[in-house]
Amino acid sequence: MFIAAVTGMAAGMTDIAAEVLIERLAAWGVDTVYGLPGDGINGIMEGLRRHQDKVRFVLVHHEEAAAFMATAHAKATGRLGVCLATSGPGGIHLLNGLYDAKLDHQPVLAITGMQETSVLGTGYQQEVHLERLYDDVTEYNLLIDNPAQLPGVVDIAIRTAYARRGVAHLTMPNDVQVAPADADPYQHVAPARPPATAPIYLSPPGVPREEDLHAAADVLNSASKPAVLVGAGALHARAEVLAVAEALGAPVVKTLPGKAVIPDDSPFAVGGIGLLGTRPGEDLMEECDTLLMAGTNFPYTKHLPSPGQARVVQIEADPTRAGVRLPTEVPMIGDVKEGLAALLPLLKHNDDRSHLAAYAEAMRRWRSEMHALETADRRPVAPQYVISCIDRAASDDAILTCDSGTIATWAARHWTIRGERGFYLSGNLATMAPGLPYAVAMQHAFPGRQVIAYVGDGGFSMLMAEFLTAAQHGLPIKVVINNNNSLGQILWEQMVLGYPEHGVRFGRPASDFSAWARSCGGYGRKVDDPADVAEAVAQALAHDGPALVDVDVNPNEPPMPGKVSYEQAKKFAEAFMKGQPHRVSIATTLFKDKISKLGR
C-alpha cells in the first residue's frame, strides 16, 4: 500500500496524509511554518508545496532558529507558532528554542519526521525517537503511525498547546506522510473526526471567582505602602494595570519580559527588578507592605519582599503557579486584563500620594544617572550610548528583540517603552542567540513595523546565518551588535563569585560582522568611534532592507546591579586581589561612571 502511495504522490494522483496535516493547520489560522527540509520530512514538504497558497514555508539556516522563530511568533501575536524539522539531528536542533517556548509559556507546535514504520527499532540511520527525547519539553507528544489519526490529533495537539501554554509535538514517519489521505490500514475503531467547520479554541473563564476578588480588594484597600509587580502575562492589560495603580497610589515594577506592560515615562513606573533592575524597583520590594502580582511568576525570590513583610495578592492564569514564590494571602485564577477590570470597582481610591511621589522622585534621580552614562565622550564606546542612540532614533511602535547577556542590562535600562513599542527576549530560559531569529519572525508577523535586533557578538555569531535568511526573504530587520569581543555576562558573573575572569574573551583580531552583512546583500557598517554611532544607526534604520551595525564597545563596562550588596562588592574586590587581568581598565571605567553620575 505504501509503495503505491509513493507512486501516486509522484504522479500527483492522490491526496496524501501530509496534506491533511497542512490543511488542518490552515483551518486553525496557521499561515507560517519555520523550518529546514530533510529526507525525513519530504512528504510534509510536498504537503506544504501543494498548499503554499494557505501556509507559507520560511526556509531558515538552522533548526534552532526555526524553533526560536516559532516562539517569537507566539510571543508577538498570541497565536500558535509552528516549526518543522527532519528526523534525527534536525529534530534535536529544535530543542533549545522549544525550551524557550516551554519556560516562557508560549503555544508552539513542533512537527518532525521519523523513519519508516517498518524499520523503527532496528537502529536505522538517524533513528532518534524524538517522541521520547521531547518528553520533558512537551505538553502533548505523539508519534503518528496511522493516517487515520489525522486530522483529529492535530486538533488535540493545537488545543493542548493553547490551553497549557506550552509545546506540542507531532512526529510523522516517512511512509505515513505519503500514504493516501484516507488510508486506514487497521480499521480497529472509527478514528476521531473533527467537524469540517473552522476549529476554535475555547479559552477558560478569565474573571476570578467573586469571593477572591472581594478578598483581594480587602487586602489592597488596607495598604499603606502598596506595590504592583507585572510580567509578560499583563502585556495585553496596560490600561487596567494603570487604572489599578492610580486607584491604589501604587508604584509599578516590571519584570524584564513584562517591560512593555506600561510606558517607562509613566508616573507609576519604577523600572525593573532583579540584577537588571533599578534601584527604586529594588527599594520598593524591600519597603512595600502590600504587593499585587499580576501576570508574573518572577523566579528570583531574593528580589521579592521577605516572607511576612508584605501581604500578597496574585492574579495568575495557571492554578499550579499561583502562590509558589511567596506566601500569598489571596491567589486569584484568571486573565490579568479581565481580572483587574473586575477588581477595579472594588478598590477604594487612595488619596495619599506621598508613597507614590517618593518613588516618582527616586525614578527621576535614577533616570538622570542612566542618562549620564549615555555619553558620546567615552573611548572605547560606552555600550549605554549605543542603546541610547537606538532608543532615540527608533519609531514609537518599534519592536526590540534582545539576546541574553550584558546587552539585556543595557536594553532594560536604556530602551524606553513609549507608544506601542515592544520588547522581547528569552525570559526564563535566558538562552543565547534568540535575538536575531526573533527579529526575523516578528518582521514576518508585522511587516509594517520597525524590528531591531540588539544582540551581543557571542549570541550573534551562534546563528548569524539567519541574517542571510532575512535578506533572502526580503525582511528589512535591523541588527545592532554590542561587540565587546567577549562573553561579557559570564565575565562579570565570574568576578561576582570572587574569581578572576578566565576563558571569556575571544582572541584577536576582533570580529567584523559588517562584512558578513554586506556579503548577504544588506547594509553593513563597522563602528569603533563614538562620533559615528548615531549616524550609523540612523542610516541602518533608514535602509530599505536588512541592515547591520557592528559597534566595538568597551569590554570593561560592568553591568552593575541596581543595588550592590555587601557580598557582591566583597566578591568583586576578591577577584581584583586574586589577579583579575583587566582590573586597571575595569577600575578606570567604574571611576568614569561614578564621575558621570555625579556630573548630573
Side-chain angles (χ1 to χ4, degrees):
M1 180 189 70
F2 288 135
I3 294 175
V6 174
T7 304
M9 182 188 75
M13 295 170 56
T14 184
D15 290 343
I16 58 175
E19 289 184 79
V20 180
L21 168 65
I22 305 306
E23 288 168 351
R24 205 59 192 163
L25 292 181
W28 274 94
V30 173
D31 58 12
T32 305
V33 172
Y34 301 95
L36 194 67
D39 59 3
I41 52 172
N42 279 335
I44 296 174
M45 292 302 299
E46 173 62 10
L48 283 164
R49 186 193 68 81
R50 296 186 186 187
H51 296 281
Q52 59 190 292
D53 59 326
K54 300 175 183 175
V55 180
R56 63 182 172 184
F57 175 71
V58 176
L59 173 61
V60 305
H61 286 82
H62 196 292
E63 290 94 351
E64 182 180 0
F68 279 139
M69 291 175 192
T71 302
H73 181 93
K75 286 184 176 183
T77 68
R79 302 192 305 272
L80 183 78
V82 183
C83 55
L84 172 66
T86 190
S87 54
I92 294 169
H93 280 161
L94 289 177
L95 274 173
N96 195 43
L98 294 180
Y99 270 102
D100 187 31
K102 171 187 170 72
L103 269 63
D104 281 355
H105 312 292
Q106 298 301 318
V108 167
L109 173 64
I111 303 169
T112 62
M114 182 67 70
Q115 282 67 29
E116 285 83 354
T117 55
S118 60
V119 299
L120 291 179
T122 67
Y124 200 75
Q125 184 185 33
Q126 295 187 339
E127 184 181 349
V128 176
H129 285 265
L130 296 172
E131 80 281 9
R132 301 176 196 169
L133 182 67
Y134 281 25
D135 188 57
D136 178 63
V137 78
T138 52
E139 300 291 341
Y140 185 86
N141 187 16
L142 182 69
L143 182 145
I144 299 172
D145 54 13
N146 185 341
Q149 293 171 276
L150 300 166
V153 295
V154 179
D155 278 26
I156 296 170
I158 293 175
R159 284 200 179 96
T160 303
Y162 275 126
R164 298 183 182 169
R165 304 294 298 176
V167 178
H169 171 230
L170 297 174
T171 188
M172 204 169 179
N174 274 332
D175 49 348
V176 177
Q177 295 172 33
V178 299
D182 59 354
D184 187 2
Y186 309 112
Q187 297 183 344
H188 296 309
V189 294
R193 295 290 185 188
T197 56
I200 58 171
Y201 167 65
L202 300 175
S203 59
V207 180
R209 297 184 306 179
E210 189 71 20
E211 57 265 38
D212 293 337
L213 289 166
H214 282 276
D218 288 343
V219 172
L220 295 170
N221 286 332
S222 67
S224 59
K225 295 181 179 179
V228 179
L229 175 63
V230 295
L235 285 171
H236 65 310
R238 174 179 289 185
E240 291 74 17
V241 169
L242 290 172
V244 167
E246 163 62 29
L248 296 175
V252 178
V253 183
K254 303 181 288 183
T255 68
L256 194 54
K259 181 173 171 61
V261 172
I262 67 172
D264 282 316
D265 60 0
S266 165
F268 301 101
V270 292
I273 186 174
L275 292 175
L276 281 62
T278 65
R279 191 184 310 114
E282 290 289 293
D283 287 341
L284 181 62
M285 290 297 101
E286 294 174 4
E287 185 187 18
C288 68
D289 64 6
T290 307
L291 177 64
L292 169 61
M293 298 175 66
T296 180
N297 195 32
F298 187 76
Y300 303 104
T301 53
K302 69 179 181 179
H303 295 284
L304 294 173
S306 302
Q309 169 199 321
R311 303 176 73 183
V312 179
V313 171
Q314 184 179 13
I315 180 165
E316 167 61 57
D318 185 346
T320 65
R321 296 200 300 267
V324 302
R325 302 302 182 196
L326 287 173
T328 303
E329 190 168 339
V330 185
M332 295 183 289
I333 307 306
D335 173 75
V336 172
K337 185 179 181 69
E338 295 183 55
L340 293 182
L343 178 64
L344 191 60
L346 305 177
L347 298 178
K348 299 175 183 176
H349 189 274
N350 181 6
D351 294 326
D352 182 359
R353 300 277 123 166
S354 58
H355 174 63
L356 180 62
Y359 277 93
E361 173 59 23
M363 271 308 291
R364 186 197 64 76
R365 293 193 300 268
W366 171 266
R367 292 190 186 102
S368 180
E369 291 181 7
M370 292 302 101
H371 289 323
L373 300 176
E374 299 169 355
T375 174
D377 299 332
R378 302 275 195 89
R379 290 188 70 101
V381 180
Q384 299 96 325
Y385 178 61
V386 178
I387 183 62
S388 74
C389 289
I390 300 171
D391 184 59
R392 287 192 294 270
S395 63
D396 284 355
D397 68 345
I399 297 172
L400 188 78
T401 66
C402 189
D403 267 356
S404 300
T406 56
I407 34 103
T409 300
W410 315 134
R413 294 175 180 171
H414 302 274
W415 172 250
T416 305
I417 298 300
R418 62 174 186 261
E420 298 303 315
R421 280 187 171 183
F423 177 73
Y424 298 95
L425 80 171
S426 174
N428 286 300
L429 186 61
T431 181
M432 292 177 66
L436 177 59
Y438 269 28
V440 170
M442 290 181 187
Q443 193 73 82
H444 262 293
F446 302 105
R449 291 177 69 176
Q450 206 175 56
V451 179
I452 306 164
Y454 176 56
V455 297
D457 54 305
F460 180 79
S461 62
M462 288 182 171
L463 291 173
M464 59 189 287
E466 303 313 323
F467 188 85
L468 181 57
T469 300
Q472 291 171 335
H473 288 274
L475 298 173
I477 65 167
K478 315 304 176 189
V479 180
V480 179
I481 300 177
N482 188 82
N483 194 335
N484 54 21
N485 201 35
S486 65
L487 298 172
Q489 189 69 31
I490 309 304
L491 186 161
W492 301 109
E493 288 172 348
Q494 289 178 354
M495 291 185 66
V496 169
L497 290 172
Y499 308 140
E501 66 174 72
H502 180 71
V504 291
R505 301 204 189 229
F506 298 117
R508 296 291 176 181
S511 54
D512 180 0
F513 296 109
S514 67
W516 166 244
R518 291 190 296 274
S519 74
C520 295
Y523 172 95
R525 183 167 174 183
K526 181 71 168 178
V527 177
D528 60 7
D529 188 333
D532 297 330
V533 174
E535 177 199 8
V537 168
Q539 288 182 351
L541 293 179
H543 181 71
D544 184 19
L548 181 150
V549 179
D550 182 4
V551 186
D552 288 342
V553 300
N554 185 358
N556 298 310
E557 179 74 45
M560 300 299 287
K563 290 185 71 172
V564 179
S565 68
Y566 169 77
E567 189 62 25
Q568 288 169 330
K570 177 184 174 184
K571 292 294 186 182
F572 200 76
E574 287 177 3
F576 269 55
M577 291 186 290
K578 290 177 182 177
Q580 167 62 28
H582 296 270
R583 57 186 178 274
V584 174
S585 297
I586 293 170
T588 300
T589 300
L590 286 169
F591 178 74
K592 289 180 178 178
D593 283 353
K594 189 66 174 178
I595 293 297
S596 294
K597 290 179 181 179
L598 292 174
R600 282 286 175 132

